Amino acid sequence: MVVQTELSDAEVDRIFHALADATRRDIVRRTLVGDASVSSLAADYAMSFAAVQKHVAVLEGAGLVTKTPRGRERLVRADPEMLARAQRLLDAYAELWRGRVERLDALIAEDT
Amino acid sequence: MVVQTELSDAEVDRIFHALADATRRDIVRRTLVGDASVSSLAADYAMSFAAVQKHVAVLEGAGLVTKTPRGRERLVRADPEMLARAQRLLDAYAELWRGRVERLDALIAEDT
DNA sequence: CTAACGTACAACCAAATGGTTGTACAAACG
DNA sequence: CGTTTGTACAACCATTTGGTTGTACGTTAG
C-alpha cells in the first residue's frame, strides 16, 4: 500500500494478521499494562495452554510482543518500539482515510 | 480488546484480517482515490480475475468497500463511513499504545 | 444478431490457521 | 529426593484461505 512507513509489506501483513483475533488483541491489551507469564495469560481463556502459546508466538512473530525467561516462566510483554511503529502505521492509514473522507464531505457540501 | 469503539469483536476481526494482505491494502488504496471496476483492478495483479474478485469480497465483507453495478461492470469504492469507523478503531489502538509508550518513556526518564 | 467483455459462482487444490493431545524437560517446591 | 509447575514442541485434525480453472449469464460493441 506504500503508505509512509518503515515497515515492509510482509511485516504489515504480520501485524494486521496478529491483530485479527480477539484473543491476541486481548493478550496485547493485558501485556500492555504489565508483564504476564504465558500460563497466567492462558488461565483466562477457554482454550488449551498450547493454543495460547501459539497465539503468543504469532504476536512475537509480528514483533508486537517479546518473551523473556524468568525462572521457569516466560514473561510476555508488549514491545514498545514495535508498538510505536505499528502505531505510526495505523496513524498513516487513519490519516489517509481521513483525507479521503474530508474530500468527500467537501464534495457533498458543494452539492448543497 | 474492548477499546472505545462501536465495532463488535467479529467486525474488528474482519477489518484487521481484510487489511492483512498487500493486494487487499492496494485495492483499498486505489478505490480510495476513485471508483474502479473489478476487472480494471484485476488487470494490475499477477493473479486471476477470480482471485481478485475474492479479495474484493473479503473487503466487502469487512465493510471497507462497496460494490455498485454500472452496466456490466461492478464499481468498487472504499466506503467512507466504514473507513471512518476503522479509522477511529485504529486511532483508539494507536492512542492506547501511545499512552503505554509515553508511560515507559517517563519511567526511563526517571531512571536518569 | 453475434462476438467479446465483465461478472458470478462452483469445484477443486495446496497451504496456512487454530485448535487439540501427548511427550519431554528444566525449575521450583515440600 | 520426588512432585508439581511452566514451558517447548511434535503430531494430528478440521476448517479457512488464497489461489486455480471452468461454466454460465447479462451487457455492450460491431
Side-chain angles (χ1 to χ4, degrees):
Chain A
M1 183 144 177
V2 198
V3 173
Q4 153 262 323
T5 169
E6 69 275 36
L7 298 165
S8 74
D9 265 14
E11 288 173 309
V12 177
D13 283 4
R14 269 182 255 122
I15 290 173
F16 276 123
H17 172 252
L19 294 175
D21 179 282
T23 301
R24 287 197 291 264
R25 286 193 301 275
D26 196 59
I27 291 175
V28 171
R29 180 187 58 77
R30 292 173 64 186
T31 58
L32 217 45
V33 177
D35 301 44
S37 71
V38 181
S39 55
S40 73
L41 289 171
D44 291 349
Y45 304 113
M47 68 185 72
S48 68
F49 171 81
V52 175
Q53 247 184 335
K54 286 191 184 182
H55 281 305
V56 171
V58 170
L59 290 167
E60 209 182 359
L64 292 172
V65 131
T66 58
K67 252 187 327 184
T68 43
R70 191 186 60 184
R72 65 185 162 190
E73 296 182 322
R74 297 293 180 275
L75 296 184
V76 181
R77 80 171 62 197
D79 176 29
E81 184 174 345
M82 182 51 87
L83 288 179
R85 300 175 80 190
Q87 171 198 313
R88 283 195 293 276
L89 169 72
L90 301 190
D91 273 350
Y93 279 91
E95 191 49 46
L96 194 67
W97 296 345
R98 194 175 348 260
R100 161 72 164 175
V101 171
E102 279 169 3
R103 230 173 302 134
L104 284 175
D105 286 349
L107 285 175
I108 292 163
E110 279 177 18
D111 283 353
T112 58
Chain B
M1 183 146 177
V2 197
V3 173
Q4 152 263 324
T5 169
E6 67 273 37
L7 299 164
S8 74
D9 265 14
E11 287 172 311
V12 176
D13 284 4
R14 269 181 254 122
I15 290 172
F16 276 123
H17 173 252
L19 294 175
D21 179 282
T23 301
R24 288 195 292 262
R25 287 194 300 276
D26 196 59
I27 292 174
V28 170
R29 182 187 59 77
R30 293 173 65 187
T31 57
L32 218 43
V33 177
D35 301 43
S37 70
V38 180
S39 55
S40 73
L41 289 171
D44 291 349
Y45 304 113
M47 68 185 71
S48 69
F49 171 80
V52 174
Q53 246 184 336
K54 286 192 184 180
H55 282 305
V56 171
V58 170
L59 289 168
E60 208 181 0
L64 292 173
V65 130
T66 58
K67 252 187 328 184
T68 41
R70 191 186 58 184
R72 65 184 161 191
E73 296 181 325
R74 296 294 179 277
L75 295 184
V76 181
R77 79 170 62 197
D79 176 30
E81 184 176 344
M82 182 51 86
L83 288 179
R85 301 175 80 190
Q87 172 198 312
R88 283 196 292 277
L89 169 72
L90 301 190
D91 273 350
Y93 279 91
E95 192 50 45
L96 195 66
W97 296 346
R98 195 177 346 261
R100 160 73 164 174
V101 171
E102 279 170 3
R103 231 173 300 134
L104 284 174
D105 286 348
L107 285 175
I108 289 164
E110 279 177 17
D111 284 353
T112 57

